[in-house]
Amino acid sequence: HPYLGDVINKKVLDVGCGTAPDLYLFATEGFEYFGIDVTSVCFEEIRRKTKTMQLNQNVIHLNTFMPPLFQYGDASFDVIVGLESLHFNATDESMITAVGEIFRVLKKGGYFFFTTINKNHFFVRSDYSRFVTDTCLVIEKGFPEKERIGLKYYVFSNPDKICELFKSFSEVKVGEYYFDTCDGQPDAYYLIFG
């Protein structure tokens, strides 16, 4: 990524890291990587992957956390990423707190990048989901991916809502991207960058 070369101390926080799909990118760019998730279920897979890729184990840190709070000090990270994790802060209060935490632990002049589902996402269009508030969608029985039943997602109605929420940051850019799922249905996401 062109911005990564500008980063000096190179500490990255990956929020909701899952299987850490971006770990190799950051590790090869010289970052110290901090991956956090609500569960440690994928951590052993990440450790195997880092050994296979011959990455320096001393600069890879994996921890669980209780969203929306982060266990790190103020201005700890140069870069914060969260691919398909921000929307799990399903209430307005949780989302506001999560964005506040991102602002708190990001160094001044640091970068952030998040993706989140939008109103055109497959989940929103599904016959097996419903809104329980204006912004909170719940997946219901009958949904094909059984592990998602009962999960709640925050759904931004438009980019202006995102910019309002991220107004503490010096710069925020919001874009949309679409891709086809295996069943040919387009999934829709917001990209949030600053």
Side-chain angles (χ1 to χ4, degrees), residues 15 17 29 32 42 73 75 78 82 91 94 99 105 121 127 137 139 143 146 159 169 171 178 190:
V15 180
C17 64
E29 289 288 332
E32 186 171 5
C42 292
D78 304 283
T91 66
S94 180
V99 172
V105 301
H121 190 276
D127 293 335
L137 179 83
I139 304 297
F143 193 78
K146 300 211 182 314
F169 297 84
E171 181 181 7
Y178 297 83
Y190 284 123

Side-chain angles (χ1 to χ4, degrees), residues 37-150:
D37 211 315
V38 296
T39 177
S40 62
V41 72
C42 292
F43 291 176
E44 193 54 43
E45 179 182 340
I46 294 170
R47 287 184 185 100
R48 280 193 304 274
K49 184 175 12 176
T50 59
K51 287 178 184 172
T52 301
M53 290 189 255
Q54 299 179 339
L55 300 176
N56 181 352
Q57 303 292 308
N58 296 324
V59 296
I60 299 168
H61 314 280
L62 304 171
N63 291 296
T64 57
F65 80 118
M66 183 62 72
L69 301 176
F70 302 153
Q71 65 267 32
Y72 301 103
D74 296 355
S76 294
F77 297 97
D78 304 283
V79 177
I80 302 176
V81 297
L83 303 180
E84 298 187 41
S85 62
L86 188 62
H87 48 241
F88 287 111
N89 293 285
T91 66
D92 289 333
E93 296 79 19
S94 180
M95 183 61 76
I96 291 167
T97 301
V99 172
E101 284 290 275
I102 295 164
F103 185 77
R104 182 183 69 78
V105 301
L106 184 64
K107 291 179 182 176
K108 184 176 172 93
Y111 298 105
F112 64 90
F113 178 80
F114 284 84
T115 63
T116 185
I117 64 174
N118 73 28
K119 64 184 180 189
N120 296 313
H121 190 276
F122 169 71
F123 292 169
V124 178
R125 298 187 325 266
S126 169
D127 293 335
Y128 303 106
S129 65
R130 67 180 171 86
F131 279 92
V132 292
T133 69
D134 289 346
T135 56
C136 180
L137 179 83
V138 65
I139 304 297
E140 298 185 317
K141 289 182 181 177
F143 193 78
E145 299 173 43
K146 300 211 182 314
E147 67 275 7
R148 294 193 186 271
I149 294 172

